[in-house]
């Protein structure tokens, strides 16, 4: 599925374009030791490599706003994407010698593009994450669906912050599920939610019957009462429910949020 380019993606894209152009201008200066307008001398090669980098980055999912940009995975994926673009450039320039960079210039450009784009994604992620106010939530259920949901909500642009899991399995008590841990059984839901001042909970249990601690809890219970969003397994993929307007989406084969 092709993602739409919203405002945040356009900002990320424009930053990539500016930094790729900067790397293109700096690489011959570093290699030769003198400054000249690389876009006049290597016009075709500069335009080609710019678009090639952007296309390969898109293919490698580097414009996915749900990705954690401040991670080693992002640095690795960016390195692989830039390396693939460099290999394609080398083959292309071999076919069209009149467009080619020197090998040293191309190698320096690849290193600069990787460093600039990785750093830009870290800065971009930090800027947008500090402007996003996240709502604390508890997840009821620490099974496969609950942990999948926890990972989903760990995305940097997610509006939620998981502060803990509740599960009735004694073996899971105190167990770390990602970063938050299982902090109690579901029958202590109201007590724990009140103590932690959390008014939002998400049910991620694969049976239709809600846990005992969640019985009678419903959206609109009041500002100080815990709010439980529960979507039965038969709920539609994009159904919206309750005053919180939580969008339903499938997080695993048997569990719907």
């Amino acid at each position: 599925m092709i993602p739409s380019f919203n405002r945040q993606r356009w900002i990320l894209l424009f930053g990539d374009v500016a930094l790729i152009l900067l790397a293109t201008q700096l690489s011959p200066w570093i290699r030769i030791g003198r400054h000249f307008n690389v876009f006049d001398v290597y016009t075709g090669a500069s335009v080609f490599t710019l678009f090639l980098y952007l296309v390969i980055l898109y293919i490698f999912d580097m414009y996915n706003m749900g990705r954690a940009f401040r991670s080693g995975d992002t640095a690795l994926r960016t390195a692989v994407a830039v390396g693939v673009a460099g290999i394609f450039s080398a083959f292309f320039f071999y076919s069209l010698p009149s467009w080619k960079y020197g090998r040293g210039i191309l190698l320096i450009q690849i290193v600069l593009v990787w460093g600039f784009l990785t750093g830009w994604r870290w800065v971009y992620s930090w800027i947008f994450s500090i402007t996003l106010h996240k709502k604390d939530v508890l997840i009821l259920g620490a099974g496969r669906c609950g942990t999948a949901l926890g990972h989903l909500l760990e995305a940097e642009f997610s509006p939620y912050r998981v502060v803990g899991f509740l599960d009735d399995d004694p073996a899971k008590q105190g167990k770390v599920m990602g970063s938050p841990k299982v902090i109690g059984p579901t029958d202590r839901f109201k007590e724990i939610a009140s103590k932690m001042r959390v008014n939002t909970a998400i049910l991620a249990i694969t049976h239709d019957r809600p846990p005992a601690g969640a019985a009678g809890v419903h959206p609109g219970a009041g500002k100080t009462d815990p709010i439980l969003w529960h979507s039965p397994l038969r709920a539609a993929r994009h159904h919206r429910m309750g005053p919180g307007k939580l969008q339903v989406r499938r997080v695993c084969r048997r569990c719907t949020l």
Side-chain angles (χ1 to χ4, degrees), residues 49-186:
T49 53
L50 170 63
F51 281 100
L52 182 61
Y53 281 127
L54 296 177
V55 169
I56 298 298
L57 287 169
Y58 182 83
I59 292 173
F60 275 75
D61 203 28
M62 298 309 298
Y63 294 104
N64 180 358
M65 295 295 100
R67 180 174 298 283
F69 287 150
R70 287 181 289 176
S71 67
D73 176 69
T74 292
L76 178 61
R77 290 177 73 91
T78 305
V80 174
V82 171
V84 169
I87 292 172
F88 273 104
S89 296
F91 278 111
F92 188 80
F93 295 153
Y94 179 80
S95 303
L96 294 174
S98 60
W99 272 20
K100 71 176 181 180
Y101 289 129
R103 287 174 296 180
I105 293 176
L106 180 60
L107 181 59
I108 292 172
Q109 185 201 51
I110 291 172
V111 174
L112 288 178
V113 168
W114 172 75
F116 287 165
L117 297 189
T118 300
W120 163 231
R121 274 161 174 72
W122 278 64
V123 172
Y124 173 91
S125 176
W126 177 77
I127 291 173
F128 278 93
S129 64
I130 63 176
T131 62
L132 182 66
H133 177 69
K134 296 196 174 189
K135 178 184 286 292
D136 290 342
V137 297
L138 290 168
I139 295 180
L140 278 66
R144 185 166 60 91
C145 289
T147 54
L149 176 58
H151 290 309
L152 179 68
L153 297 183
E154 283 179 355
E156 296 182 31
F157 299 105
S158 164
Y160 302 104
R161 179 188 299 107
V162 180
V163 295
F165 290 84
L166 302 180
D167 197 280
D168 293 330
D169 186 350
K172 294 180 180 177
Q173 300 305 311
K175 183 178 178 181
V176 176
M177 309 299 294
S179 52
K181 65 180 181 179
V182 179
I183 55 179
T186 57

Side-chain angles (χ1 to χ4, degrees), residues 12-30:
L12 185 62
L13 176 64
F14 287 146
D16 285 350
V17 170
L19 291 172
I20 292 170
L21 293 176
L22 177 61
T24 302
Q25 181 63 56
L26 290 177
S27 52
W29 177 71
I30 294 173

Side-chain angles (χ1 to χ4, degrees), residues 24-30 32-39 41:
T24 302
Q25 181 63 56
L26 290 177
S27 52
W29 177 71
I30 294 173
I32 301 173
R34 62 183 178 88
H35 180 270
F36 63 93
N37 192 337
V38 67
F39 303 108
V41 179

